[in-house]
Amino acid sequence: MEKKNLDWSNIGFTYMTTDKRYVSNFKNGKWDAGELTEDSTVVLNECAGILQYCQECFEGLKAYTTADGSIVTFRPDLNAERMMGSAAWLEMPIFPKERFLEAVDQVVAANAAWVPPYGSGATLYLRPYMFATGPVIGVKPSSEYQFRLFGTPVGPYFKGGVKPLTLCVSDFDRAAPHGTGHIKAGLNYAMSLHASEMAHMRGYDENLFPDSATRTYVEETGGANFLFVTRDHEVVTPASDSILPSITRRSLVYVAEHYLGLKVTQRKVKISELSDFAECGLCGTAAVISPVGKIVDHGKEICFESGMEEMGEITKKLYDTLTGIQMGTIEAPEGWIRKIL
Ligand SMILES: *Cc1c(COP(=O)(O)O)cnc(C)c1O
């Protein structure tokens, strides 16, 4: 198979139209057979539920070329399950797990020429999503939906080297205590854009959102979970019912315990104890872990010992181990790698 002629190491994180995408429609109470299509446009009724009341959820995962030249995905079963949970919460029909996995396999195989080669640092980012296509004007769930999945190649996240991030403690809320913070829905992102633009304007990379009820505890950023390392190398991740259960964070916790022999604790983390940690990182599919060098809490600077030049020692070990598992140079736990080609 001939790869596309792209400068793989220099593509960014932007949408690029690839050859084939998967589409399945839900109508009269059931999903149709689904198929690959070359049509990258979506034509909708003007009153479609997604356009009026924002009934939508999505996922994000990657396909990798491993050291032996295989094309694989990383724990896509967890994306399938998480999307089932998001859909149920939004009163949308469930897209079955086996069908989700089949759609991932089909899209990756059909776009194999777009999967960046091993060693480039680039990957094929996959975006499964589901939205209400049926018309609704009275507020209620739609009766028709579309599941869609496309891929787009994305470049290495740390192009030009690692740059630890500077965050600010936000005055805005991301998720209400019994709201939608734990599901992957576009609506959580729509309302985070203002907070994110404000943070950028003030020179920060991201917001740290505290819990909305008490503004005392660390929740997450707009799109990544926190992971902290104490001075004696204990990994700590914030516990909350209103943060999105990141698959990367859950995988890093396993790696910390079973590969690196570290103690891991999931508990509520107070903003006031941030300065006790030695390292801080943001976990998500895009970067695996982005190191955080500094968090500014209303003028008070919290600087992590790992500094503004490089990843902390434990963060780096976690990063190297998980990316090694994804790229096939470190043996993966049973069931983590799904080989497609
Ligand atoms: C997608 C997402 C993450 C990261 O989850 P991964 O499964 O690791 O990619 C974290 N927080 C939010 C709000 C997200 O939407």
Side-chain angles (χ1 to χ4, degrees):
M1 176 252 326
E2 186 90 5
K3 290 280 178 194
K4 299 286 168 183
N5 184 23
L6 293 175
D7 182 8
W8 300 107
S9 310
N10 285 307
I11 49 177
F13 199 92
T14 50
Y15 169 75
M16 207 181 286
T17 309
T18 49
D19 296 338
K20 299 275 177 72
R21 68 278 302 123
Y22 181 94
V23 181
S24 180
N25 289 296
F26 182 90
K27 202 175 172 172
N28 300 323
K30 57 178 196 299
W31 290 104
D32 68 13
E35 61 176 3
L36 290 174
T37 170
E38 287 181 2
D39 191 353
S40 62
T41 60
V42 180
V43 177
L44 287 173
N45 180 277
E46 62 188 350
C47 204
I50 174 60
L51 301 178
Q52 306 309 327
Y53 304 124
C54 209
Q55 217 185 352
E56 186 262 4
C57 60
F58 69 99
E59 276 301 325
L61 68 160
K62 287 170 167 180
Y64 310 82
T65 304
T66 59
D68 69 358
S70 305
I71 295 179
V72 306
T73 47
F74 178 74
R75 309 188 80 180
D77 52 317
L78 297 188
N79 295 98
E81 286 166 12
R82 192 167 64 187
M83 194 170 191
M84 291 164 73
S86 299
W89 191 264
L90 294 169
E91 297 297 335
M92 301 167 89
I94 301 292
F95 194 69
K97 182 169 158 182
E98 277 314 312
R99 290 216 39 204
F100 181 104
L101 295 172
E102 210 175 279
V104 168
D105 291 355
Q106 285 189 27
V107 168
V108 173
N111 296 294
W114 295 93
V115 183
Y118 176 74
S120 65
T123 51
L124 184 71
Y125 183 77
L126 300 166
R127 172 54 57 88
Y129 58 120
M130 227 172 97
F131 52 96
T133 52
V136 279
I137 194 76
V139 178
K140 64 172 195 304
S142 172
S143 58
E144 295 174 12
Y145 296 87
Q146 182 165 110
F147 170 90
R148 230 176 147 87
L149 197 165
F150 65 79
T152 187
V154 294
Y157 196 85
F158 296 117
K159 194 170 55 175
V162 171
K163 282 207 184 60
L165 306 175
T166 301
L167 316 186
C168 64
V169 175
S170 181
D171 287 325
F172 298 102
D173 292 328
R174 186 191 87 91
H178 306 283
T180 55
H182 64 300
I183 63 166
K184 211 166 175 72
L187 56 90
N188 288 330
Y189 281 77
M191 49 70 62
S192 77
L193 294 176
H194 179 62
S196 153
E197 288 301 294
M198 288 298 150
H200 291 165
M201 240 172 60
R202 292 162 54 217
Y204 300 108
D205 298 300
E206 290 278 357
N207 284 295
L208 178 158
F209 288 106
D211 75 292
S212 300
T214 70
R215 312 198 73 79
T216 308
Y217 297 99
V218 176
E219 294 252 298
E220 60 172 325
T221 65
N225 286 184
F226 279 99
L227 180 149
F228 299 101
V229 183
T230 66
R231 295 196 171 91
D232 44 10
H233 296 182
E234 178 187 340
V235 172
V236 177
T237 59
S240 160
D241 292 334
S242 48
I243 68 178
L244 198 278
S246 158
I247 294 165
T248 313
R249 188 249 305 156
R250 287 182 272 162
S251 303
L252 288 166
V253 161
Y254 185 94
V255 163
E257 283 179 328
H258 296 91
Y259 283 68
L260 304 179
L262 301 172
K263 182 171 182 236
V264 180
T265 312
Q266 186 171 10
R267 61 168 173 84
K268 289 179 131 191
V269 174
K270 284 200 171 122
I271 290 172
S272 62
E273 65 173 301
L274 283 175
S275 51
D276 295 343
F277 295 113
E279 299 176 33
C280 171
L282 298 178
C283 322
T285 295
V288 179
I289 315 183
S290 293
V292 174
K294 192 198 288 187
I295 300 177
V296 180
D297 181 9
H298 301 91
K300 181 179 164 229
E301 291 201 347
I302 300 141
C303 298
F304 297 101
E305 284 166 10
S306 51
M308 297 305 294
E309 300 296 333
E310 54 188 19
M311 276 195 190
E313 177 197 343
I314 300 296
T315 307
K316 178 88 166 72
K317 279 189 184 157
L318 286 165
Y319 177 85
D320 288 344
T321 310
L322 189 59
T323 50
I325 288 170
Q326 291 170 334
M327 296 297 177
T329 57
I330 295 175
E331 193 175 343
E334 184 70 30
W336 278 25
I337 300 297
R338 184 177 173 95
K339 187 170 183 306
I340 296 174
L341 288 174

